[in-house]
Amino acid sequence: MSIDVGRIIEIFNDIAVVIGSNKEYLTDLDAAIGDGDHGINLNKGFQNVVQKLSSSNPKDIGEVLKIVGMTLISTVGGASGALYGTAFMKAQTKGVGKEDISLKDFSEMLNIAVDGIKMRGKGDLGDKTMLDVLIPVSKSIEESLQENRKAAEAFRIASETAFKKMEDTKNISAKKGRASYLGERSIGHIDPGAASSYLIIKTIGEYLAKEEN
Ligand SMILES: Nc1ncnc2c1ncn2[C@@H]1O[C@H](COP(=O)(O)OP(=O)(O)OP(=O)(O)O)[C@@H](O)[C@H]1O
Ligand SMILES: [Mg+2]
């Protein structure tokens, strides 16, 4: 895998389209256990990301990710804007001066992004949040690196993991965010942030699969 600046921008454009077409789904998930704004929040954020990326001229991967992180932090209300924004701001530090990234670079970026989300939200695995998808995905990508899998295959496996882990959030009660006010009553519902994280990973996977063919 070698994702350069042009390709990473294409990936963010794809993510924006997918988040846009799942806006109502994500909002419905959030309406069940939160305040019903997750789809609206993220859609607004990623539409702004697309605009910002097309009107700036980022030189390296770090600059792209910095634009994404800053845009999400400044335009998305709610916890998810700050958390996803923090994730991309952490990841960008590993992209400074890089004109393209490998699967290994991606893995390192994801690890530090996950650490950033954990620190910012004081959450961890099992809290029924986006981390319940992103932590297993980061482990899955690390495993694929050890197995010398190609990026498209690594993301195909990671997407399967993400889907399963997203579904598994149904079985646990929320310990972070607004959904935690419901306690046990949050059981039976998929966490909206876990769903958006799955969609993002799936979109990257589909982009890479398309490129390989
Ligand atoms: N402390 C946290 N750590 C990690 N993820 C979190 C945390 N708090 C919330 N989330 C994630 O954010 C999602 C909700 O995002 P949303 O865009 O709806 O913002 P929000 O309404 O301000 O969030 P919330 O009501 O959960 O505080 C949750 O589904 C969860 O995945
Ligand atoms: Mg919400």
Side-chain angles (χ1 to χ4, degrees):
M1 160 176 135
S2 174
I3 297 289
D4 62 13
V5 169
R7 288 204 186 99
I8 199 167
I9 291 175
E10 282 178 3
I11 291 176
F12 280 110
N13 291 343
D14 285 0
I15 291 173
V17 169
V18 170
I19 294 293
S21 51
N22 284 279
K23 186 174 88 171
E24 309 225 319
Y25 164 66
L26 294 172
T27 288
D28 288 348
L29 291 179
D30 196 29
I33 57 169
D35 54 356
D37 61 357
H38 190 58
I40 297 164
N41 285 344
L42 278 193
N43 183 50
K44 186 171 154 214
F46 279 103
Q47 296 313 320
N48 279 312
V49 161
V50 166
Q51 266 181 15
K52 277 270 161 59
L53 288 175
S54 72
S55 62
S56 40
N57 195 11
K59 290 184 302 298
D60 61 32
I61 302 287
E63 274 187 35
V64 174
L65 296 175
K66 193 170 177 181
I67 292 169
V68 175
M70 281 171 49
T71 306
L72 293 179
I73 289 171
S74 62
T75 63
V76 181
S80 64
L83 292 164
Y84 277 127
T86 300
F88 288 111
M89 289 307 283
K90 290 283 176 191
Q92 67 91 19
T93 61
K94 295 251 168 211
V96 176
K98 284 202 169 92
E99 285 179 14
D100 51 48
I101 50 167
S102 63
L103 186 62
K104 185 162 186 297
D105 294 323
F106 177 86
S107 175
E108 288 173 5
M109 285 176 173
L110 183 57
N111 287 346
I112 126 169
V114 163
D115 287 345
I117 296 174
K118 279 187 184 172
M119 246 168 44
R120 185 80 170 74
K122 301 184 173 55
D124 212 329
L125 201 65
D127 288 345
K128 194 180 179 103
T129 70
M130 54 178 72
L131 287 171
D132 287 314
V133 164
L134 295 175
I135 293 173
V137 163
S138 71
K139 299 261 167 2
S140 166
I141 300 275
E142 272 180 353
E143 196 182 290
S144 284
L145 269 175
Q146 277 159 18
E147 300 287 328
N148 278 323
R149 290 186 188 119
K150 288 216 169 130
E153 174 71 351
F155 272 91
R156 191 188 59 72
I157 295 168
S159 298
E160 281 176 13
T161 301
F163 181 78
K164 193 177 162 300
K165 297 296 175 181
M166 169 193 79
E167 290 272 319
D168 286 351
T169 64
K170 262 189 207 166
N171 307 324
I172 49 179
S173 64
K175 306 207 178 41
K176 287 282 176 280
R178 226 173 290 262
S180 65
Y181 307 159
L182 293 181
E184 299 273 298
R185 278 182 292 140
S186 65
I187 294 176
H189 301 279
I190 287 176
D191 174 64
S196 57
S197 285
Y198 158 67
L199 290 172
I200 291 170
I201 298 300
K202 180 174 90 118
T203 306
I204 303 174
E206 284 172 355
Y207 181 90
L208 293 175
K210 198 169 61 189
E211 267 210 327
E212 261 204 357
N213 292 326

PDB file of all heavy atoms in Angstrom, residues 94-106:
ATOM      1  N   LYS A  94       2.460  11.803  12.771  1.00  0.00           N
ATOM      2  CA  LYS A  94       3.247  10.738  12.110  1.00  0.00           C
ATOM      3  C   LYS A  94       3.285  10.933  10.591  1.00  0.00           C
ATOM      4  O   LYS A  94       3.955  10.178   9.882  1.00  0.00           O
ATOM      5  CB  LYS A  94       2.633   9.362  12.401  1.00  0.00           C
ATOM      6  CG  LYS A  94       2.677   8.966  13.849  1.00  0.00           C
ATOM      7  CD  LYS A  94       3.678   7.849  14.074  1.00  0.00           C
ATOM      8  CE  LYS A  94       3.936   7.653  15.549  1.00  0.00           C
ATOM      9  NZ  LYS A  94       5.285   7.190  15.842  1.00  0.00           N
ATOM     10  N   GLY A  95       2.522  11.909  10.101  1.00  0.00           N
ATOM     11  CA  GLY A  95       2.469  12.108   8.647  1.00  0.00           C
ATOM     12  C   GLY A  95       3.257  13.318   8.178  1.00  0.00           C
ATOM     13  O   GLY A  95       3.344  13.582   6.975  1.00  0.00           O
ATOM     14  N   VAL A  96       3.860  14.023   9.135  1.00  0.00           N
ATOM     15  CA  VAL A  96       4.607  15.234   8.778  1.00  0.00           C
ATOM     16  C   VAL A  96       5.796  14.857   7.879  1.00  0.00           C
ATOM     17  O   VAL A  96       6.568  13.955   8.197  1.00  0.00           O
ATOM     18  CB  VAL A  96       5.106  15.968  10.060  1.00  0.00           C
ATOM     19  CG1 VAL A  96       5.958  17.179   9.690  1.00  0.00           C
ATOM     20  CG2 VAL A  96       3.923  16.381  10.927  1.00  0.00           C
ATOM     21  N   GLY A  97       5.887  15.533   6.731  1.00  0.00           N
ATOM     22  CA  GLY A  97       7.001  15.297   5.814  1.00  0.00           C
ATOM     23  C   GLY A  97       6.851  14.040   4.964  1.00  0.00           C
ATOM     24  O   GLY A  97       7.717  13.728   4.154  1.00  0.00           O
ATOM     25  N   LYS A  98       5.734  13.317   5.142  1.00  0.00           N
ATOM     26  CA  LYS A  98       5.544  12.081   4.356  1.00  0.00           C
ATOM     27  C   LYS A  98       4.641  12.355   3.158  1.00  0.00           C
ATOM     28  O   LYS A  98       3.525  12.838   3.326  1.00  0.00           O
ATOM     29  CB  LYS A  98       4.880  10.994   5.215  1.00  0.00           C
ATOM     30  CG  LYS A  98       5.815  10.349   6.199  1.00  0.00           C
ATOM     31  CD  LYS A  98       5.269   8.967   6.617  1.00  0.00           C
ATOM     32  CE  LYS A  98       6.294   8.177   7.401  1.00  0.00           C
ATOM     33  NZ  LYS A  98       6.193   8.359   8.840  1.00  0.00           N
ATOM     34  N   GLU A  99       5.128  11.997   1.954  1.00  0.00           N
ATOM     35  CA  GLU A  99       4.287  12.196   0.770  1.00  0.00           C
ATOM     36  C   GLU A  99       3.372  11.016   0.530  1.00  0.00           C
ATOM     37  O   GLU A  99       2.396  11.108  -0.206  1.00  0.00           O
ATOM     38  CB  GLU A  99       5.157  12.469  -0.448  1.00  0.00           C
ATOM     39  CG  GLU A  99       5.689  13.885  -0.383  1.00  0.00           C
ATOM     40  CD  GLU A  99       6.576  14.261  -1.530  1.00  0.00           C
ATOM     41  OE1 GLU A  99       6.605  13.529  -2.535  1.00  0.00           O
ATOM     42  OE2 GLU A  99       7.243  15.311  -1.399  1.00  0.00           O
ATOM     43  N   ASP A 100       3.710   9.888   1.124  1.00  0.00           N
ATOM     44  CA  ASP A 100       2.773   8.765   1.097  1.00  0.00           C
ATOM     45  C   ASP A 100       2.960   7.903   2.336  1.00  0.00           C
ATOM     46  O   ASP A 100       3.946   8.048   3.044  1.00  0.00           O
ATOM     47  CB  ASP A 100       2.896   7.928  -0.190  1.00  0.00           C
ATOM     48  CG  ASP A 100       4.313   7.534  -0.469  1.00  0.00           C
ATOM     49  OD1 ASP A 100       4.985   7.047   0.457  1.00  0.00           O
ATOM     50  OD2 ASP A 100       4.763   7.710  -1.618  1.00  0.00           O
ATOM     51  N   ILE A 101       1.961   7.042   2.583  1.00  0.00           N
ATOM     52  CA  ILE A 101       2.060   6.178   3.768  1.00  0.00           C
ATOM     53  C   ILE A 101       1.857   4.706   3.406  1.00  0.00           C
ATOM     54  O   ILE A 101       1.100   4.366   2.498  1.00  0.00           O
ATOM     55  CB  ILE A 101       1.043   6.569   4.878  1.00  0.00           C
ATOM     56  CG1 ILE A 101      -0.381   6.713   4.344  1.00  0.00           C
ATOM     57  CG2 ILE A 101       1.487   7.817   5.604  1.00  0.00           C
ATOM     58  CD1 ILE A 101      -1.433   6.784   5.432  1.00  0.00           C
ATOM     59  N   SER A 102       2.541   3.879   4.181  1.00  0.00           N
ATOM     60  CA  SER A 102       2.441   2.432   4.024  1.00  0.00           C
ATOM     61  C   SER A 102       1.432   1.899   5.047  1.00  0.00           C
ATOM     62  O   SER A 102       0.959   2.647   5.912  1.00  0.00           O
ATOM     63  CB  SER A 102       3.808   1.800   4.298  1.00  0.00           C
ATOM     64  OG  SER A 102       4.149   2.073   5.653  1.00  0.00           O
ATOM     65  N   LEU A 103       1.168   0.595   4.979  1.00  0.00           N
ATOM     66  CA  LEU A 103       0.276  -0.023   5.969  1.00  0.00           C
ATOM     67  C   LEU A 103       0.885   0.112   7.374  1.00  0.00           C
ATOM     68  O   LEU A 103       0.168   0.332   8.345  1.00  0.00           O
ATOM     69  CB  LEU A 103       0.050  -1.504   5.617  1.00  0.00           C
ATOM     70  CG  LEU A 103      -0.967  -2.234   6.496  1.00  0.00           C
ATOM     71  CD1 LEU A 103      -2.362  -1.626   6.377  1.00  0.00           C
ATOM     72  CD2 LEU A 103      -1.017  -3.728   6.152  1.00  0.00           C
ATOM     73  N   LYS A 104       2.211   0.022   7.436  1.00  0.00           N
ATOM     74  CA  LYS A 104       2.881   0.157   8.742  1.00  0.00           C
ATOM     75  C   LYS A 104       2.670   1.572   9.290  1.00  0.00           C
ATOM     76  O   LYS A 104       2.374   1.750  10.473  1.00  0.00           O
ATOM     77  CB  LYS A 104       4.377  -0.142   8.578  1.00  0.00           C
ATOM     78  CG  LYS A 104       5.132  -0.150   9.869  1.00  0.00           C
ATOM     79  CD  LYS A 104       6.472  -0.870   9.695  1.00  0.00           C
ATOM     80  CE  LYS A 104       7.213  -1.026  11.013  1.00  0.00           C
ATOM     81  NZ  LYS A 104       7.575   0.242  11.623  1.00  0.00           N
ATOM     82  N   ASP A 105       2.811   2.565   8.422  1.00  0.00           N
ATOM     83  CA  ASP A 105       2.559   3.953   8.863  1.00  0.00           C
ATOM     84  C   ASP A 105       1.127   4.084   9.363  1.00  0.00           C
ATOM     85  O   ASP A 105       0.868   4.704  10.393  1.00  0.00           O
ATOM     86  CB  ASP A 105       2.756   4.948   7.704  1.00  0.00           C
ATOM     87  CG  ASP A 105       4.193   5.013   7.226  1.00  0.00           C
ATOM     88  OD1 ASP A 105       5.099   4.919   8.058  1.00  0.00           O
ATOM     89  OD2 ASP A 105       4.400   5.149   6.000  1.00  0.00           O
ATOM     90  N   PHE A 106       0.187   3.501   8.584  1.00  0.00           N
ATOM     91  CA  PHE A 106      -1.227   3.600   8.975  1.00  0.00           C
ATOM     92  C   PHE A 106      -1.431   2.993  10.355  1.00  0.00           C
ATOM     93  O   PHE A 106      -2.113   3.553  11.215  1.00  0.00           O
ATOM     94  CB  PHE A 106      -2.133   2.893   7.946  1.00  0.00           C
ATOM     95  CG  PHE A 106      -3.579   2.924   8.354  1.00  0.00           C
ATOM     96  CD1 PHE A 106      -4.390   4.003   8.029  1.00  0.00           C
ATOM     97  CD2 PHE A 106      -4.121   1.893   9.121  1.00  0.00           C
ATOM     98  CE1 PHE A 106      -5.713   4.053   8.461  1.00  0.00           C
ATOM     99  CE2 PHE A 106      -5.438   1.936   9.554  1.00  0.00           C
ATOM    100  CZ  PHE A 106      -6.242   3.019   9.220  1.00  0.00           C
TER     101      PHE A 106
END
